Amino acid sequence: MRRVTVFGSTGSIGESTLDLLSREQDVQVIALTGGRNVERLAEQARTFRAGIAVTAFDDCLPALRDALQGSGVEAASGSAALLEAADRPADWVMSAIVGAAGLAPGLHALGQGKVLALANKESLVSAGPLLLGSAVRHGATVLPVDSEHSAIFQALRGEDQATVERVIITASGGPFRTWSREAMARATPAEAGRHPNWDMGQRITIDSASLFNKAMEVIETREFFGFSPHQIEVLVHPQSAVHALVGFVDGALMAHLGAPDMRHAIGHALHWPERRVLPVERLDLARLGRLDFEAPDEGRFPALRLARDVMRAGGLAGAVFTAAKETALDHFIAGRIGFLDMAGVVEESLTRLAAQPDFGRPADNLDAVLAMDGLARRTAAEIAAMRGLTTTGA
Ligand code: NAD
Ligand code: MG
């Protein structure tokens, strides 16, 4: 019997993970966690006969309790309950909470010394050394679930990483790939929330439109595999069929292709080190006809430049980047700042906080990361409020 826990089970990655788990024999679900969608969380917990269902928010607990009445599933709420669920022994844990909120549960899950399938890229960007250091200390394995990183991981199988010259991660370019800067400045959250190829949560979809998602993935590539910043490239590829390419010293370029379905990367992490049959569409290249590639335009998508600044700065710059980006995204979704203001808010937050004594401190301590995260959120909110005033002309 394989014991499994899914953090963020009600989200896009969480649902895909449960879809795969529903096809498995001998799986025992230890814990499922979600946010405000308690109806769905309770439904999942009943279907999978989970040991415990946890909502992140205390005000949602009464509704969760009601929905689980008579099911035998324990109900709990709040960050302490999330950590308690993470401490319950499990053989495979999916980390699919969105945002920096996924860091602490992921760290606790690693304490069990098992496999952590990591979709929550924010925890690597803000605290890579802490997360990976903890995995080493506890003898746990972290497997990448982001499609690009799963692709690199697969292309590296059986290879000597010292023979890698460069890695290229692809970006669809999002809905604004061909838009002018002026049009992008006026883009609405609804327009930014329409991804051409992937069906994902709202936040990552908007981050894909700004290329902040790709910027985070560049940093994620550096943290996860240890490549130097100059070895990591981004290529715009509108069809999203090639997820990543690894270039070797002999000039060979190994590409990973697949349908845009996260169940491939999740399934790879679920069955690793084996390969098993997965219920994903097989690519029909003849029907696709062509694969296009273009260089990203950093003028319209400054997030990529900011990712390089963050890698150059090191220390807690990644924590500032993640927190400021999340705050800017909240302000954009609420209609308080414009689409292009998001990069402005993140850049100014990084510039202001670079003067902090702790900014250059290694991201290997949870308290230091969380303190910088809090400071970055307050700073970004202040900057966003100023920009909001300017934008609305008040
Ligand atoms: P989503 O918004 O669909 O789901 C997020 C999950 O986290 C939900 O269960 C939600 O209830 C829960 N949640 C939200 N706020 C929370 C909080 N404060 N505390 C605890 N739980 C909270 O997001 P998603 O698209 O599934 O993405 C999840 C993670 O996976 C993100 O880090 C994202 O970057 C990463 N990822 C997603 C995809 C994708 O295709 N969706 C691909 C690659 C990586
Ligand atoms: Mg990705």
Side-chain angles (χ1 to χ4, degrees), residues 188-273:
T188 65
E191 287 167 330
R194 269 183 233 123
H195 199 281
N197 307 330
W198 293 87
D199 180 14
M200 309 182 285
Q202 182 200 31
R203 299 182 72 85
I204 184 175
T205 303
I206 298 178
D207 283 347
S208 299
S210 59
L211 292 204
F212 262 112
N213 181 51
K214 211 48 57 181
M216 301 232 294
E217 290 179 357
V218 166
I219 304 170
E220 188 187 2
T221 304
R222 161 143 182 82
E223 294 296 335
F224 193 90
F225 299 100
F227 294 119
S228 310
H230 74 265
Q231 290 179 293
I232 308 167
E233 300 170 21
V234 173
L235 192 61
V236 173
H237 167 46
Q239 291 91 354
S240 298
V242 180
H243 302 140
L245 305 100
V246 177
F248 293 88
V249 287
D250 59 357
L253 205 47
M254 304 297 286
H256 179 286
L257 287 82
D261 183 338
M262 285 306 295
R263 290 179 305 173
H264 171 74
I266 298 166
H268 186 266
L270 182 61
H271 300 302
W272 180 87

Side-chain angles (χ1 to χ4, degrees), residues 121 146-148 213-214 217:
K121 62 191 84 182
D146 219 342
S147 56
E148 298 75 6
N213 181 51
K214 211 48 57 181
E217 290 179 357

Side-chain angles (χ1 to χ4, degrees), residues 15 23 26 35 42 128 132 221 285 347 359 364:
E15 290 281 5
R23 300 158 196 264
D26 295 333
L132 298 177
T221 304
L285 288 172
E347 180 159 23
F359 188 79
D364 58 3

Side-chain angles (χ1 to χ4, degrees), residues 8 10-13 35 56 96-98 119-122 146 200-201 204 262:
T10 57
S12 167
I13 292 287
I97 287 174
V98 62
N120 179 267
K121 62 191 84 182
E122 295 87 348
D146 219 342
M200 309 182 285
I204 184 175
M262 285 306 295

Side-chain angles (χ1 to χ4, degrees), residues 246-333:
V246 177
F248 293 88
V249 287
D250 59 357
L253 205 47
M254 304 297 286
H256 179 286
L257 287 82
D261 183 338
M262 285 306 295
R263 290 179 305 173
H264 171 74
I266 298 166
H268 186 266
L270 182 61
H271 300 302
W272 180 87
E274 291 171 23
R275 276 196 193 273
R276 297 262 183 89
V277 175
L278 291 173
V280 298
E281 186 194 325
R282 273 40 179 175
L283 266 192
D284 182 343
L285 288 172
R287 209 176 72 197
L288 200 57
R290 56 188 276 181
L291 299 174
D292 297 302
F293 300 98
E294 64 197 45
D297 173 359
E298 294 194 6
R300 289 182 303 127
F301 299 102
L304 295 176
R305 172 173 55 77
L306 297 179
R308 282 199 303 276
D309 292 348
V310 166
M311 291 190 292
R312 200 175 306 118
L316 295 174
V320 172
F321 185 75
T322 309
K325 192 276 296 170
E326 287 184 20
T327 307
L329 179 59
D330 289 337
H331 282 254
F332 173 66
I333 291 172

